[in-house]
Amino acid sequence: MVIVSGRMTPMFCFVLLSQSSSPLILPLLLTLLPLALGILTLLPHSLQGKPAEEENAGSSALLQRVKRGWVWNQFFVLEEYTGLEPLYIGKLHSDMDKGDGSIKYILTGEGAGTTFTIDDSTGDIHAIQRLDREVKAQYILRAQARNRLTDRPLEPESEFIVKIQDINDNEPRFLDGPYQASVPEMSKIGTSVIQLTATDADDPTYGNSARVVYSILEGQPYFSVDAKTGVVRVSLADMDRETRENYTVVIQAKDMGGQLGGLAGTTTVNITLSDINDNPPMFDQRLYQMSVPESAPVGSVVGRIWAKDRDIGVNAEMKYSIIDGDGRDTFDISTDPTNLFGIISVKKPLDFETKPSYTLKVEGANIHLDPSLRHRGPFKDVTIVHVSVEDVDEPPLFDSPAYYIELPEDAEIGTVLKTVSARDPDAANNTVRYSIERSTDPEKYFYIEITSGSLMTVRSLDREEIGWHNITVLAMEMNNPTQIASASVAVRILDVNDNPPSLTHYLEAYVCENAKAGQLIQTVTAVDPDEPLGGQHFYYSLAPEAASNPNFTLRDNQDNTAWILTRRGGWSQQDQTVFYLPIFISDGEQPVQTSTSTLTIRVCSCDQEGNVMSCNAEAYSLPASLSRGALIAILACIFVLLVMILLMLSLRTHRKKPYLCDEEENVHENIVRYDDEGGGEEDTEAFDIAAMWNPREAHHHLGKMRQDMLPEIESLSRYVPQACVMGGGSGDSNVHGYVLAKLLEADVDPCAPPYDSLQTYAYEGEGSVAESLSSLQSGTSNTDHEYDYLNDWGPRFKKLAEMYGVLETNSPPMW
């Protein structure tokens, strides 16, 4: 085969001899070659081109044309050559080549030297490697003719293309296979499932090598495939997922339009029928039997039920409800997290003794419904649930879980606060016993009667110490001590005005020596532990004994404060350094509580601004004119006075010694043993009480002087009539006379010891103007005692008079 590329010229031509691997192409080319040559002969010269001489003659006057050395367009070669010899591509030839070997042909460009080679003498081009159009479809090469001796280019370098012609050597491929697809169950015929695309690497523009046709090999009669588009469709109606869910379909793609000899590729499509809600739910039981103990707390699970649905996923989700039955208010039903099961739980407390069983009518219905499938409904079902309540030994039950009590703090011991009540809720109705949890009442202020439940006080209450008592009362079954119930009791202690007010903090004050009359020296306030509802209101005044004092006065400000003011001026530390001012305070509540607090006021030296400089008495300085002799005389007088005092003390001690030594036995016999305190008249260890009933013996010894007793009260007998003393009656009068005789005997003896061994407790103070000196029952009197008579009792009671009475001295006033 000879192919001329381009125009034929006498100067240059290119001859290409091409061989094809296909046996059909060569006969075809040989048949068409004479026809092509005949057509070229019949063409006019204007289309074929004029000879070179005529062209040069006609145009030499206008343009000098450059003669081309060779002309060609492109070479064609079939891919996948499998021969043993190199594949002949074509031949390059220059019109300058005289056949003497002076011309050398050079080939450059893509694949030159590696894929393509050229015979530099003849210009023959061969492919030395296997060509694959799917790897590279064309090569761009450059050719040039050079002088072999001078290597000088004889022609300009020209470019030509070698195109690789396609053959059907690649089968169709499903690049994304195998495939996964799904289609709803019960889909209609023709419903699209998935579209498949097969890729053929052959040239789609050349022949039928890349024209693919699809067909189904497996999966009939359920599915089919479109031969041109590759769309897989449903071909069988009413396919049910609950009957069969998964299908495997094999699809084939064949090139050459599906003709014989075409190449084919296959893939697998795994098709799953997706679920739709086409099945109603059904309970697996028409009657459920359940039981629950009566002690189950609210929210406890009783059991679960299940309305089975052949569908899956959201199509099987259920909603349960109690639509009827006597337990609608006692039990509740909910759906578990999977939305499949119904959970029955306790809604209200159960009581076996009240109702031992319940019946529930429960409905289970699908949540998600498909309107197009309502004709398959109804998508719900009903069942009956019977719940039995089991009897349990329950702890006692209080009539109230908590109690609140208010109690005044002055409530008497034994006051009943509240009577709590608890019962055994079981049918046995066991006896209940009550107690207090001791950890809630550690001080044991309260007591509860074990059988009746009466809660009472056993100690005095004080709101100022504890305002609230939170105790826990326990109730226990007698037959089963493990069954214990508890209830809290909150006891609020109400305030009673039982505390007197008193001054706060400021119990000392000072007055400056330069203070004037009417000057404020101190503001006093009071505090009261009580908390009246209307708030505190205190009233201040000076104590009655200090109301008319010339030094200070008190002004009640009516705002719970009071001012201490001076009544005069001219204060001096040398006159008096300390004043005691009793202040009377009362509160405004009933019963009114009062108190007296003493304010200590010191006289201090102050500067002009009133700041304290010194509150100590300044040392008295003697006049400068006092001589040394006068000082010596004063010291001598002080010394003489000290000596005289010492002599008097020694003489008094000397006079007492004989009496203490005489009749030693009597002294020992009459020593009172105070460790036997409280014996009273029954105590005869120190004195024979029988002697008190013999008045004659008492008068017989009247003249005998007692050396071992010194009465505590001097000359009390002067207030007692002598007839009573010397009376000779019997009974109580004898004892009375004997006691008075003993008192008279003690008064006569000036050296008697300062104690008495006559234990006449029953007659203490009888007939005396001083009345009883005992402290017993002294708190019952609310009146102030006057102790001025103690000054009349003699020097032996001087100390007592100083403590309780007012000595008649010339000392300055205290306020």
Side-chain angles (χ1 to χ4, degrees):
M1 182 180 64
V2 177
I3 299 176
V4 178
S5 177
R7 293 180 298 171
M8 296 295 296
T9 63
M11 295 296 297
F12 174 79
C13 67
F14 168 70
V15 180
L16 172 61
L17 178 61
S18 176
Q19 295 180 353
S20 174
S21 61
S22 178
L24 299 176
I25 295 176
L26 184 57
L28 181 60
L29 292 177
L30 294 177
T31 303
L32 296 177
L33 181 58
L35 180 61
L37 292 177
I39 293 173
L40 289 175
T41 306
L42 297 175
L43 288 176
H45 292 281
S46 59
L47 295 177
Q48 294 181 14
K50 297 180 180 181
E53 294 84 357
E54 295 179 0
E55 289 182 2
N56 292 336
S59 61
S60 59
L62 299 176
L63 180 64
Q64 182 66 34
R65 181 179 179 184
V66 178
K67 183 181 62 175
R68 296 187 61 179
W70 52 42
V71 178
W72 64 82
N73 187 4
Q74 54 187 1
F75 298 157
F76 293 91
V77 61
L78 293 177
E79 64 173 337
E80 302 295 342
Y81 171 71
T82 58
L84 298 178
E85 297 295 332
L87 177 63
Y88 181 76
I89 302 299
K91 184 180 180 66
L92 298 179
H93 183 73
S94 175
D95 56 357
M96 293 184 179
D97 189 359
K98 304 301 183 179
D100 54 359
S102 61
I103 301 299
K104 181 176 67 173
Y105 297 97
I106 297 175
L107 182 67
T108 60
E110 294 179 343
T114 58
T115 303
F116 303 99
T117 61
I118 188 172
D119 187 335
D120 61 353
S121 298
T122 63
D124 293 331
I125 302 174
H126 292 82
I128 58 176
Q129 288 189 358
R130 184 176 179 179
L131 300 177
D132 190 352
R133 189 202 64 84
E134 287 72 36
V135 175
K136 191 172 180 60
Q138 66 180 14
Y139 296 86
I140 299 175
L141 299 172
R142 292 180 297 276
Q144 191 175 31
R146 291 176 175 269
N147 189 295
R148 188 179 294 274
L149 297 178
T150 62
D151 200 26
R152 183 174 60 86
L154 300 179
E155 297 288 344
E157 187 178 57
S158 297
E159 183 178 88
F160 65 97
I161 297 175
V162 177
K163 285 191 174 183
I164 311 301
Q165 288 185 328
D166 183 55
I167 63 172
N168 190 18
D169 60 340
N170 292 279
E171 73 276 6
R173 297 177 180 271
F174 294 92
L175 302 180
D176 298 327
Y179 298 87
Q180 302 289 335
S182 65
V183 63
E185 61 176 333
M186 300 296 174
S187 295
K188 297 179 179 179
I189 296 175
T191 302
S192 175
V193 178
I194 189 175
Q195 183 175 12
L196 307 180
T197 301
T199 302
D200 195 326
D202 295 325
D203 189 359
T205 63
Y206 181 76
N208 294 328
S209 298
R211 189 164 69 89
V212 178
V213 175
Y214 300 93
S215 61
I216 184 169
L217 301 183
E218 295 181 17
Q220 301 94 338
Y222 308 105
F223 300 96
S224 62
V225 63
D226 189 291
K228 294 182 178 181
T229 62
V231 176
V232 179
R233 302 180 185 276
V234 175
S235 60
L236 182 64
D238 298 330
M239 288 191 295
D240 190 2
R241 184 201 64 84
E242 288 72 34
T243 302
R244 181 178 177 182
E245 183 176 4
N246 298 310
Y247 296 84
T248 300
V249 178
V250 178
I251 302 297
Q252 174 184 267
K254 188 175 183 181
D255 59 10
M256 298 298 292
Q259 298 177 5
L260 184 64
L263 302 180
T266 61
T267 188
T268 301
V269 182
N270 296 313
I271 301 176
T272 301
L273 296 183
S274 60
D275 185 63
I276 63 173
N277 193 7
D278 58 338
N279 293 280
M282 294 185 63
F283 285 100
D284 55 353
Q285 294 179 225
R286 287 302 164 189
L287 177 63
Y288 289 85
Q289 294 285 351
M290 300 181 182
S291 63
V292 59
E294 62 175 335
S295 60
V298 174
S300 300
V301 175
V302 179
R304 72 176 189 173
I305 59 177
W306 183 20
K308 294 183 178 179
D309 194 328
R310 297 179 65 192
D311 299 319
I312 60 174
V314 296
N315 297 317
E317 292 182 357
M318 304 294 298
K319 180 181 180 181
Y320 297 90
S321 59
I322 300 175
I323 59 175
D324 200 1
D326 56 2
R328 296 178 63 181
D329 298 331
T330 307
F331 298 93
D332 196 6
I333 190 168
S334 60
T335 308
D336 74 327
T338 63
N339 292 326
L340 297 178
F341 299 94
I343 307 298
I344 299 177
S345 60
V346 178
K347 186 178 181 180
K348 290 184 178 180
L350 304 175
D351 188 5
F352 172 81
E353 290 72 25
T354 303
K355 189 171 179 60
S357 64
Y358 296 87
T359 299
L360 307 174
K361 187 176 182 181
V362 180
E363 179 186 81
N366 282 140
I367 299 176
H368 306 282
L369 298 179
D370 189 348
S372 62
L373 299 174
R374 289 186 180 274
H375 61 281
R376 292 178 174 267
F379 290 88
K380 58 185 177 181
D381 197 13
V382 177
T383 188
I384 302 298
V385 180
H386 185 269
V387 181
S388 300
V389 180
E390 298 176 352
D391 187 21
V392 176
D393 189 5
E394 301 173 273
L397 181 65
F398 280 93
D399 56 359
S400 176
Y403 300 89
Y404 173 76
I405 303 171
E406 291 184 348
L407 186 69
E409 61 179 323
D410 61 349
E412 296 182 359
I413 295 177
T415 300
V416 177
L417 285 70
K418 180 75 176 180
T419 299
V420 300
S421 177
R423 64 177 180 84
D424 183 9
D426 299 320
N429 195 19
N430 294 320
T431 305
V432 176
R433 293 292 182 261
Y434 303 93
S435 63
I436 296 177
E437 187 176 352
R438 280 304 160 199
S439 61
T440 62
D441 185 27
E443 302 297 331
K444 298 183 179 180
Y445 283 94
F446 303 97
Y447 168 77
I448 191 169
E449 211 284 322
I450 189 171
T451 57
S452 65
S454 297
L455 184 65
M456 61 188 70
T457 61
V458 293
R459 289 183 57 185
S460 298
L461 303 174
D462 189 356
R463 187 201 65 83
E464 286 71 36
E465 291 184 3
I466 303 177
W468 283 86
H469 294 270
N470 295 305
I471 62 177
T472 300
V473 177
L474 305 177
M476 179 187 67
E477 289 186 14
M478 285 290 294
N479 295 343
N480 188 0
T482 60
Q483 297 298 328
I484 301 175
S486 63
S488 60
V489 180
V491 182
R492 180 188 178 189
I493 309 302
L494 301 178
D495 185 45
V496 174
N497 192 28
D498 58 346
N499 292 280
S502 60
L503 290 182
T504 57
H505 306 299
Y506 304 105
L507 298 179
E508 288 193 6
Y510 70 91
V511 59
C512 295
E513 290 182 316
N514 56 0
K516 306 298 181 182
Q519 182 173 331
L520 173 65
I521 64 171
Q522 183 66 53
T523 300
V524 294
T525 58
V527 64
D528 192 338
D530 298 320
E531 294 181 358
L533 296 177
Q536 300 283 6
H537 189 77
F538 302 119
Y539 301 93
Y540 302 87
S541 64
L542 293 179
E545 62 269 19
S548 60
N549 77 91
N551 300 315
F552 304 99
T553 185
L554 182 143
R555 179 187 298 173
D556 192 341
N557 297 323
Q558 299 300 318
D559 60 354
N560 290 341
T561 66
W563 287 353
I564 306 299
L565 306 172
T566 59
R567 278 187 173 180
R568 65 179 178 86
W571 304 91
S572 176
Q573 292 185 7
Q574 295 181 1
D575 295 339
Q576 187 171 349
T577 59
V578 179
F579 294 88
Y580 299 98
L581 187 65
I583 300 175
F584 181 80
I585 312 169
S586 65
D587 53 25
E589 296 296 318
Q590 295 295 330
V592 176
Q593 299 289 337
T594 63
S595 68
T596 301
S597 300
T598 300
L599 181 66
T600 302
I601 304 175
R602 299 184 182 276
V603 180
C604 301
S605 298
C606 304
D607 56 15
Q608 295 298 327
E609 298 179 356
N611 298 320
V612 177
M613 299 175 60
S614 174
C615 291
N616 299 323
E618 297 179 358
Y620 181 73
S621 59
L622 296 175
S625 59
L626 190 62
S627 62
R628 182 178 298 177
L631 292 175
I632 294 175
I634 294 172
L635 293 176
C637 292
I638 294 174
F639 179 73
V640 171
L641 290 174
L642 291 175
V643 171
M644 292 177 64
I645 293 172
L646 292 176
L647 287 174
M648 291 174 65
L649 293 175
S650 63
L651 288 174
R652 185 174 181 178
T653 304
H654 181 70
R655 290 178 61 188
K656 288 183 178 180
K657 287 183 179 181
Y659 298 101
L660 293 175
C661 296
D662 293 343
E663 299 181 12
E664 183 176 358
E665 294 181 359
N666 292 334
V667 173
H668 288 289
E669 290 177 359
N670 294 281
I671 294 178
V672 179
R673 298 182 181 179
Y674 291 100
D675 58 346
D676 297 330
E677 180 180 357
E681 293 182 357
E682 296 178 0
D683 188 359
T684 59
E685 200 174 313
F687 190 83
D688 188 3
I689 195 66
M692 300 180 65
W693 299 97
N694 191 347
R696 296 181 179 181
E697 182 179 354
H699 289 294
H700 177 76
H701 297 286
L702 184 62
K704 186 177 180 180
M705 302 296 292
R706 289 288 301 268
Q707 302 296 325
D708 59 344
M709 293 184 293
L710 186 63
E712 295 181 2
I713 304 176
E714 184 177 354
S715 65
L716 281 175
S717 60
R718 66 177 181 268
Y719 298 102
V720 182
Q722 293 299 321
C724 296
V725 176
M726 302 302 296
S730 62
D732 292 345
S733 61
N734 294 338
V735 177
H736 190 212
Y738 178 77
V739 171
L740 295 179
K742 288 297 184 179
L743 290 175
L744 181 60
E745 182 181 347
D747 289 339
V748 174
D749 185 6
C751 297
Y755 49 81
D756 196 350
S757 62
L758 301 178
Q759 303 171 1
T760 57
Y761 301 109
Y763 301 96
E764 179 182 0
E766 184 176 353
S768 171
V769 296
E771 297 183 353
S772 177
L773 297 180
S774 172
S775 61
L776 298 176
Q777 298 182 351
S778 62
T780 60
S781 176
N782 293 328
T783 60
D784 294 331
H785 297 285
E786 297 293 337
Y787 299 102
D788 294 341
Y789 57 85
L790 295 177
N791 293 319
D792 299 332
W793 289 6
R796 299 180 185 275
F797 295 90
K798 179 179 179 181
K799 187 66 176 177
L800 188 62
E802 291 177 357
M803 296 174 61
Y804 292 91
V806 180
L807 297 179
E808 298 177 358
T809 60
N810 297 326
S811 61
M814 298 178 63
W815 45 76

